[in-house]
Amino acid sequence: MTYGSEGCDIYIEGAVERVPAAWRVLDVQTAGAGDMFTACYVAHRAAGHDPRRSAEAASELVAGELDKRVHTGAPGLA
């Protein structure tokens, strides 16, 4: 379950673990962020990485891509 800038919950053997977001990116259009997160998470899991590291990598990817939108002045994707 993802919570945007609040991170996500991962479920491992019936237990819930909160994984914080890599960093907050403010004032940016977040369209597609969930898709990016899911694709990265699934790719890492398919490559054999553990759930927590997969979620951390996905969070880092999304934060980095959203940061690019802020710093390049990319228009909103409404």
Side-chain angles (χ1 to χ4, degrees):
M1 172 72 65
T2 60
Y3 300 105
S5 65
E6 298 300 317
C8 68
D9 287 342
I10 56 175
Y11 298 84
I12 304 171
E13 297 179 14
V16 179
E17 184 176 338
R18 175 61 59 103
V19 179
W23 65 88
R24 286 182 184 233
V25 182
L26 303 175
D27 301 322
V28 65
Q29 175 55 255
T30 60
D35 294 333
M36 285 188 282
F37 182 93
T38 300
C40 185
Y41 179 84
V42 169
H44 275 78
R45 292 292 290 138
H49 299 280
D50 68 73
R52 182 174 185 87
R53 181 63 199 125
S54 297
E56 291 169 344
S59 181
E60 290 166 11
L61 171 83
V62 171
E65 291 301 316
L66 294 178
D67 251 353
K68 287 179 190 175
R69 291 181 189 177
V70 170
H71 293 96
T72 62
L77 302 173

